[in-house]
Amino acid sequence: MHYTKKDIAEMDRIQRIKYINSVSGIKPANLIGTISEEGETNLAIFSSVFHLGSDPALLGFITRPTDEIPRHTYENLMQNRQYTINHVPSSLVANAHYTSAKLERDQSEFESCGFTPQFLPDFKAPFVQESVLKLGMSFRQTIPIELNGTILVIGEIEHLILPNAAIDTENDINLAHINGVGISGLNTYYGLSKIGRFPYARPDEIPDFKK
């Protein structure tokens, strides 16, 4: 199949969403936890969390436009300036998926989808108790994307919580060992498996792949 820009624009809306959400490959599945000023917890699944830098330790994610549909995650983190990012447990993929349902403000996805909010002293946002790897984030910046009205949210890691067993002998975090989960498209989930590890790439150490 070969789709041109015109073909993509003329696709059925749902088909276009499915295709374009899949073509970038498998993305990390994360649950973002927030809380309102009134103490209402919120939990939502995101596939757009990505690394921005290690010093300072920054992560970004994309949220959809906020002008027509309420975005409780965005509203809460802008109020409290804190949020959590929690890896989706492979055993609770279905639970995580249904946090994407548009619940009312006073309905918590934690309760509706079978997750347990977990709090740290002096940190407002709720973590997911069932998650193996979790991050406490402080809001740093938003960048509006004028092309489609989405917003890039940038945060700094304040807390990194993971089990000792997740660190392998090379001091890497082994996501396969902690049953990491990936997303493709709108509703397809994948397990992760480690297929290789290579040294830092230096020009004079590139193997001869022509052999």
Side-chain angles (χ1 to χ4, degrees):
M1 302 294 289
H2 178 176
Y3 297 99
T4 65
K5 178 180 178 180
K6 181 175 182 292
D7 296 329
I8 294 170
E10 293 176 352
M11 276 184 187
D12 171 78
R13 175 178 174 273
I14 300 301
Q15 181 186 7
R16 183 171 62 248
I17 290 173
K18 287 182 177 180
Y19 279 21
I20 304 307
N21 270 274
S22 298
V23 293
S24 60
I26 296 173
K27 302 174 286 291
N30 288 287
L31 291 163
I32 295 184
T34 58
I35 190 168
S36 70
E37 290 182 332
E38 292 73 31
E40 298 162 327
T41 58
N42 177 265
L43 191 66
I45 192 165
F46 280 80
S47 63
S48 61
V49 175
F50 58 95
H51 166 85
L52 275 171
S54 300
D55 187 17
L58 301 178
L59 297 178
F61 75 93
I62 301 294
T63 185
R64 295 175 187 172
T66 60
D67 50 352
E68 296 180 2
I69 300 175
R71 304 294 177 187
H72 298 155
T73 295
Y74 182 74
E75 293 169 5
N76 290 349
L77 74 86
M78 291 304 292
Q79 287 178 1
N80 291 312
R81 321 294 273 193
Q82 291 181 330
Y83 57 102
T84 68
I85 298 175
N86 309 266
H87 283 215
V88 172
S90 60
S91 60
L92 295 172
V93 168
N95 307 57
H97 174 73
Y98 282 96
T99 64
S100 61
K102 295 177 176 62
L103 301 183
E104 296 297 326
R105 161 64 80 176
D106 59 355
Q107 292 178 286
S108 174
E109 292 81 3
F110 278 95
E111 181 177 353
S112 298
C113 298
F115 291 104
T116 308
Q118 181 182 38
F119 292 90
L120 292 180
D122 300 319
F123 194 84
K124 297 175 183 178
F127 294 84
V128 174
Q129 181 173 294
E130 292 80 6
S131 178
V132 177
L133 193 158
K134 27 201 165 192
L135 305 161
M137 307 294 299
S138 288
F139 168 76
R140 288 292 177 263
Q141 185 181 0
T142 57
I143 300 176
I145 312 292
E146 294 183 3
L147 285 171
N148 62 0
T150 57
I151 301 170
L152 166 59
V153 178
I154 301 173
E156 184 173 358
I157 299 174
E158 299 286 345
H159 299 278
L160 167 57
I161 303 169
L162 71 167
N164 292 339
I167 309 298
D168 65 18
T169 56
E170 302 293 336
N171 270 338
D172 291 332
I173 296 176
N174 189 334
L175 298 180
H177 183 76
I178 59 176
N179 296 317
V181 173
I183 302 176
S184 176
L186 299 178
N187 51 10
T188 304
Y189 295 83
Y190 296 83
L192 304 181
S193 60
K194 184 177 179 180
I195 60 173
R197 185 183 187 280
F198 305 95
Y200 182 84
R202 294 180 172 85
D204 59 347
E205 296 178 0
I206 299 174
D208 185 356
F209 293 110
K210 296 177 182 179
K211 289 182 178 179

